[in-house]
Amino acid sequence: MTTWAGRTATEIAAAVREKKVTPREVVAEHLARIERLDGRVGAFRTVRAEAALAEADELAGRDLDRLPLAGVPIAVKDNLAVRGEQTRNGSAATPDTLADEDHVTVARLRAAGAVVVGLTNVPELCVFGTTEGVYGNARNPWDLSRTAGGSSGGSAAAVAAAMVPVALGNDGMGSLRIPAANCGLVTLKPGHGVIPAGIGHGDWFGMSENGPLATTVEDARLVFALLADLEPAPPAEPATRRIALSVRSPLAGIRVTRPYTNAAREAGALLAEAGHRVRTANPPYPLWLSTTSLAHWTAGTAVDAEDLDPRRLARRTRVHAAVGRRFVTGVRKGERREQLRGRLAAFFAEYDVLLTPALARRSPASADWHKRGWLRNILANTNYSPMTPPWNLTGWPAMSVPFGKLPNGAPCAVQLVGMPGSEETLLDVAGQLEVLHPWRRTAPLG
């Protein structure tokens, strides 16, 4: 008997188009795996078992040859609307009304033949880099004692545990790249405006972007193209790129631990051997980047929480929003973001790609962080994930790519960053790393 859980989206869709397996068989197998494993992992807020099987059956009436994701089960982050389902955004304060229609990104994947099997857990209002709350805690399938990360933690955990081959998430300060790095996945936060956003009330001032979580560069490339409404493109012929290698934290005072600095240096050495021009060089991060990041992070939450009953929010969320209210007016002006783009654009005039560690250290323990104090959450988040925020502030594309292992056997990862319009370049470089240094795609959960 052929097993489909653990296969890539590309493999599954090809098999469905070739009539080697039906969409129902594929979806049923993944639903069975979710039922068996998710009590340990905590990836899903809700599972659409009956609806997903019915939608898989409906695919039989479509022209499968025209569907790039024919029969592929996907998971959707619980801040994006799925028709007929609640969108709870990790909070008891959000309305329990059913969505009338799919978010545009969900609609595009469904139009390509994907079947939504469930909505995944997020921290309340998708604020933090750990995923836990009233609907459950998402754990890293490679190390169940650790958080999957956040805020797309449930989506990342679902893919890493082979409950789905790909998932949909979004990234406002690292919310795709952080859990992808923890869980050994490929993700791409696109540049601003490449994929429709429509996340919360204003996309955190335009910093939040939707994107894929996948186990291979090929799957990430395919889903990215579908989300961006582009014709899926094959990898380009290898080209020599100017790559800057930096292991310095963008946020002052934070130390990047050895496993992550080693990963970035080893990745740089492999790319140099492959013919790229790799040079150690640090972007000119300003000292005010830390305070600017905090201002934008909290202000985005303040706007998203405006219409919600504060008594139903966790204390850390209430404090985060209260801090952010004083920054909303200034953040809306966008002056600091424009200054940051100006400083960093000069650096990228010399380099095509920036290569950095994806994180500074392994993720925090899986715990009820939503019951802990605000400052404790801020310190835990900032100390382990300082590498991602600059690229939301600039609105430029960035990827997390698995590379090596941590001492406990969980995945390590590097980050690739480029200027606007460089998504395909980043995918090409990521694809080379995948060939040069392959990774195990899913966690050995059984």
Side-chain angles (χ1 to χ4, degrees):
M1 177 180 173
T2 302
T3 299
W4 297 101
R7 300 290 190 97
T8 69
T10 305
E11 290 172 331
I12 290 171
V16 169
R17 289 193 297 266
E18 294 164 11
K19 306 293 194 296
K20 294 179 179 178
V21 65
T22 67
R24 171 176 269 270
E25 289 170 326
V26 171
V27 170
E29 184 182 330
H30 284 82
L31 288 170
R33 186 170 177 85
I34 293 168
E35 184 176 8
R36 180 161 57 88
L37 295 179
D38 201 41
R40 296 160 59 194
V41 176
F44 285 90
R45 198 265 297 169
T46 189
V47 178
R48 310 176 64 250
E50 291 185 13
L53 289 171
E55 290 165 17
D57 288 339
E58 290 172 5
L59 283 172
R62 296 175 63 182
D63 184 354
L64 297 177
D65 288 339
R66 295 179 177 272
L67 302 180
L69 292 178
V72 173
I74 65 167
V76 175
K77 186 176 180 179
D78 193 24
N79 66 344
L80 297 172
V82 173
R83 184 180 65 252
E85 303 292 339
Q86 300 172 359
T87 309
R88 297 314 303 259
N89 208 359
S91 180
T94 51
D96 60 3
T97 52
L98 304 182
D100 293 330
E101 57 184 22
D102 290 329
H103 186 277
V104 61
T105 54
V106 178
R108 286 180 177 179
L109 297 186
R110 277 182 153 164
V115 178
V116 179
V117 297
L119 288 93
T120 56
N121 274 321
V122 299
E124 187 169 55
L125 304 191
C126 297
V127 173
F128 294 99
T130 59
T131 293
E132 62 290 300
V134 293
Y135 300 111
N137 295 8
R139 300 171 183 84
N140 187 343
W142 294 90
D143 180 355
L144 294 171
S145 72
R146 297 276 156 181
T147 178
S151 63
S152 304
S155 285
V159 176
M163 297 178 192
V164 289
V166 291
L168 184 56
N170 37 58
D171 190 317
M173 291 291 275
S175 289
L176 281 167
R177 288 161 289 157
I178 294 167
N182 287 329
C183 296
L185 303 178
V186 182
T187 194
L188 168 63
K189 179 197 79 68
H192 181 64
V194 175
I195 292 173
I199 307 160
H201 299 294
D203 311 324
W204 275 18
F205 308 97
M207 296 191 302
S208 292
E209 307 294 345
N210 292 309
L213 288 152
T215 64
T216 66
V217 175
E218 182 181 35
D219 275 3
R221 186 189 297 272
L222 172 61
V223 177
F224 161 70
L226 295 170
L227 292 171
D229 199 23
L230 301 171
E231 190 68 29
E237 288 296 319
T240 300
R241 304 291 182 186
R242 300 165 300 161
I243 298 176
L245 167 65
S246 174
V247 299
R248 172 190 164 195
S249 166
L251 306 184
I254 297 176
R255 182 177 69 89
V256 182
T257 58
R258 185 169 296 174
Y260 286 97
T261 59
N262 285 349
R265 290 185 175 117
E266 290 170 17
L270 284 179
L271 291 171
E273 291 174 9
H276 295 284
R277 297 196 294 271
V278 180
R279 176 185 170 191
T280 299
N282 293 318
Y285 300 120
L287 287 175
W288 45 258
L289 183 56
S290 297
T291 54
T292 296
S293 298
L294 180 65
H296 284 72
W297 183 18
T298 56
T301 304
V303 172
D304 281 350
E306 281 178 355
D307 299 329
L308 302 179
D309 182 350
R311 296 169 298 180
R312 305 195 72 187
L313 295 173
R315 183 175 179 275
R316 68 173 181 176
T317 311
R318 291 199 305 271
V319 175
H320 206 74
V323 170
R325 281 194 286 274
R326 70 193 67 186
F327 297 125
V328 169
T329 300
V331 163
R332 279 207 173 102
K333 294 178 182 177
E335 293 173 356
R336 279 301 199 194
R337 294 179 67 191
E338 194 57 41
Q339 291 172 13
L340 183 63
R341 291 187 194 103
R343 287 180 67 109
L344 295 176
F347 177 83
F348 277 93
E350 297 184 42
Y351 300 101
D352 302 307
V353 175
L354 170 65
L355 167 65
T356 78
L359 299 171
R361 63 191 66 210
R362 67 176 180 169
S363 61
S366 179
D368 289 338
W369 285 93
H370 61 296
K371 297 179 181 178
R372 296 179 177 178
W374 177 76
L375 184 58
R376 191 174 178 186
N377 273 273
I378 293 296
L379 292 175
N381 279 241
T382 305
N383 284 331
Y384 103 94
S385 56
M387 314 302 293
T388 56
W391 317 113
N392 298 93
L393 291 167
T394 59
W396 297 348
M399 291 189 70
S400 179
V401 183
F403 195 94
K405 295 181 180 180
L406 301 177
N408 68 348
C412 195
V414 297
Q415 179 178 231
L416 303 174
V417 183
M419 286 286 281
S422 66
E423 287 86 0
E424 291 294 340
T425 295
L426 299 183
L427 286 162
D428 288 342
V429 174
Q432 285 189 278
L433 286 176
E434 185 176 25
V435 171
L436 296 168
H437 201 275
W439 51 81
R440 182 168 180 173
R441 296 191 302 101
T442 55
L445 283 176

